Amino acid sequence: MRTLIKNGTLVTASESYRADILIEDETILAIEAKSSASANMVIDADGKLIFPGAIDVHTHLDMPFGGTVTADDFTTGTTAAAAGGTTCIIDYALQTPGKSLEEALQVWHERAEGKCAVDYGFHVAVTDLNDAVLAEIPELVEKGYPSFKVFMAYKGVFQVDDATLLRVLKTSGEAGGLVLVHAENGDVIDVLTKEMLAKGQTEPLYHALSRPPQAEEEAVNRYITMAALAGAPAYIVHLSDGGALNRVAEARLQGLPIYAETCPQYLFLDLELYNEPDFGGAKYVMSPPLREAGNNEYLWSGLDSGNLQVVASDHCSFNLKEQKELGRNDFTKIPNGAPGVETRVQLLFAGGVLENRISINKMVDLVSTAPAKLFGLYPQKGTIAVGSEADLVVFDPHMPFTISADNQHQNVDYNPYEGFRGQGVPIKVLSRGTLVFDNGRYVGKAGHGRFQARKSFTAI
Ligand code: URP
Ligand code: ZN
Ligand code: ZN
């Protein structure tokens, strides 16, 4: 099967140029200024941009959390990903205390197998460390799982102590892995939470107030110190706060291999939203929480300067009805998380590129190339090059859109960006050469998505 994409402007992390792309089966066979090759399918991309398929390295699909299970499973979540121009996700397999990391992976593979619209991989979250679990880390790096997650928050659920952080960092670093962290000081949050509940402060706003920026900055600082002690590379997920970003910037100035991701919610939304009436603030209950409005621009400048390398979604959807509502009388019972796998690329284009906050090549780097490099998928994914997989997005930079729960593919009853208007829509999405999304319609099939064993960590 040959597909020819003609007359488009190819956009990679480093350049933009007009060319034709010839695809054979799953792979890019040729890139030429003008191709006269014959093909089974020809796509005219005149006036359109062609991006490498976006990679979302932070999703939670079919995940039990907060007494319920995420609204999106691997079918709906990856279909929404495809609709938004994302052709590969990396989800988190969470260790059950007392069980092995391999068992966690088995559970998550069963959840994903045969259900995915686009490709997928797994990070492995360590929640209960012992010598046997530690010994699994080098084995898993070898098997294609070179990234591990630890939580410094969610006390009594996922939170681990400093000894665990250090041991995981050392072992992973020696084995060629990368340790990802949820950096918030869970003990501090626990004290503040109890104080608030004792005063009857139960509304969604108190979720945010119980998790102040200092709790994030302190944890980021401690984690960076541990990583330096361990001599290991480290990655901070969903960084939300300017103070925490300063700690990352300082570490990077010292030459430490510290990386950090932020998410659209911390670029576009702010603390005010927790005051939405009628429990509407629950839609934004996520951790870390939304911050003061001024913080957004600070994060944008972190993206532009390179101190933040990745924008991921942290897609973790719970319906407002029946799920978020579990915490109507107590914010600690509101399941944490929000949807975003479908809207990440469009938001960054409309709110970042078109608003002159980042270049279009930087956008491609943030959503595709840097994640591919950091997480062992490059160059088969994350770029447009001969020999790379044909994960491609044909993007109309002029087409207007309005974000709404009414037109989304995410299987959840709200959208945190409801009413956001912008310009720039993925009109065709190819996953390894197969058209999976076409002019607003999903045309792929669940099960097309394939598990991606990844290479060990390489510094960027
Ligand atoms: O609130 C969030 N972020 N939910 C998902 C789990 C996590 O901490 O990433
Ligand atoms: Zn987290
Ligand atoms: Zn997450």
Side-chain angles (χ1 to χ4, degrees):
M1 167 80 179
R2 282 191 171 193
T3 301
L4 182 62
I5 307 179
K6 288 183 74 66
N7 307 320
T9 298
L10 281 53
V11 185
T12 69
S14 54
E15 55 185 344
S16 309
Y17 59 101
R18 274 184 76 104
D20 296 346
I21 305 174
L22 182 63
I23 300 164
E24 186 165 67
D25 300 327
E26 300 195 345
T27 310
I28 297 176
L29 188 64
I31 300 174
E32 295 174 297
K34 272 274 165 249
S35 174
S36 51
S38 58
N40 311 78
M41 176 166 72
V42 177
I43 297 172
D44 184 3
D46 191 26
K48 312 291 186 292
L49 306 176
I50 319 283
F51 302 143
I55 298 169
D56 193 341
V57 295
H58 192 158
T59 65
H60 303 278
L61 303 176
D62 205 353
M63 180 180 77
F65 192 39
T68 183
V69 179
T70 54
D72 277 298
D73 64 10
F74 279 88
T75 298
T76 62
T78 57
T79 304
T86 290
T87 52
C88 185
I89 61 155
I90 309 183
D91 206 88
Y92 287 90
L94 306 177
Q95 180 195 12
T96 301
K99 301 212 167 155
S100 68
L101 303 182
E102 282 280 7
E103 282 168 288
L105 279 166
Q106 202 181 324
V107 170
W108 256 266
H109 270 289
E110 276 164 21
R111 289 179 181 160
E113 179 82 48
K115 298 198 182 126
C116 291
V118 296
D119 291 346
Y120 62 97
F122 294 113
H123 312 289
V124 191
V126 180
T127 64
D128 184 16
L129 190 68
N130 56 41
D131 289 346
V133 169
L134 204 61
E136 289 188 272
I137 288 177
E139 293 166 12
L140 291 178
V141 173
E142 282 295 306
K143 288 182 181 168
Y145 309 93
S147 43
F148 303 90
K149 168 90 173 277
V150 284
F151 292 88
M152 296 170 82
Y154 302 126
K155 193 173 166 69
V157 186
F158 299 136
Q159 184 174 331
V160 297
D161 60 11
D162 290 352
T164 300
L165 291 183
L166 188 61
R167 293 178 81 201
V168 172
L169 275 162
K170 272 178 178 260
T171 306
S172 163
E174 281 160 16
L178 180 66
V179 182
L180 287 52
V181 72
H182 175 130
E184 287 185 292
N185 184 322
D187 289 341
V188 164
I189 291 165
D190 189 52
V191 171
L192 298 180
T193 301
K194 285 177 176 150
E195 283 176 4
M196 287 173 186
L197 290 180
K199 285 189 224 156
Q201 296 171 326
T202 58
E203 295 87 2
L205 174 67
Y206 293 99
H207 167 79
L209 301 183
S210 67
R211 311 181 85 98
Q214 293 90 331
E216 183 175 4
E217 186 175 342
E218 185 283 326
V220 164
N221 197 45
R222 182 158 35 107
Y223 184 64
I224 289 171
T225 307
M226 299 273 186
L229 256 171
Y235 178 100
I236 296 139
V237 302
H238 53 41
L239 188 142
S240 74
D241 166 58
L245 175 55
N246 286 342
R247 302 285 85 80
V248 171
E250 282 163 14
R252 290 178 60 79
L253 257 182
Q254 291 167 33
L256 294 172
I258 301 295
Y259 306 92
E261 106 196 346
T262 191
C263 312
Q265 49 272 37
Y266 304 118
L267 296 166
F268 288 89
L269 309 177
D270 65 64
L271 191 68
E272 256 311 300
L273 290 164
Y274 291 111
N275 295 317
E276 264 189 27
D278 194 22
F279 196 58
K283 291 184 278 188
Y284 315 99
V285 167
M286 61 184 78
S287 298
L290 301 177
R291 304 298 187 190
E292 299 277 359
N295 193 64
N296 303 23
E297 283 310 324
Y298 205 78
L299 297 180
W300 279 110
S301 65
L303 295 175
D304 194 38
S305 68
N307 284 320
L308 295 168
Q309 299 75 38
V310 174
V311 176
S313 71
D314 192 11
H315 179 92
C316 186
S317 57
F318 297 103
N319 289 313
L320 193 52
K321 271 213 173 81
E322 289 179 13
Q323 294 195 296
K324 293 280 186 184
E325 269 176 359
L326 291 169
R328 204 172 248 283
N329 301 316
D330 175 351
F331 68 83
T332 64
K333 299 202 164 58
I334 303 171
N336 284 205
V341 73
E342 188 167 351
T343 44
R344 179 181 62 128
V345 174
Q346 280 178 270
L347 283 168
L348 269 203
F349 182 79
V353 177
L354 295 183
E355 297 292 329
N356 293 317
R357 287 168 163 139
I358 51 171
S359 73
I360 189 138
N361 306 98
K362 174 57 103 175
M363 184 196 97
V364 167
D365 196 33
L366 291 166
V367 301
S368 181
T369 311
K373 287 180 174 170
L374 282 170
F375 292 97
L377 290 165
Y378 190 83
Q380 73 269 30
K381 294 191 185 291
T383 193
I384 305 176
V386 172
S388 291
E389 289 173 3
D391 285 355
L392 296 166
V393 180
V394 181
F395 192 85
D396 184 338
H398 305 294
M399 188 179 278
F401 67 85
T402 305
I403 294 178
S404 173
D406 293 340
N407 59 24
Q408 70 184 356
H409 296 77
Q410 299 171 147
N411 181 38
V412 58
D413 64 3
Y414 76 99
N415 191 301
Y417 308 96
E418 186 72 33
F420 180 100
R421 285 167 187 272
Q423 213 175 290
V425 176
I427 52 167
K428 288 187 194 291
V429 178
L430 288 89
S431 163
R432 281 181 283 101
T434 298
L435 190 65
V436 294
F437 193 79
D438 191 11
N439 284 310
R441 267 187 332 117
Y442 174 61
V443 295
K445 61 174 180 358
H448 162 84
R450 194 185 283 162
F451 169 69
Q452 302 291 305
R454 295 177 288 119
K455 296 183 284 260
S456 58
F457 170 74
T458 315
I460 59 170

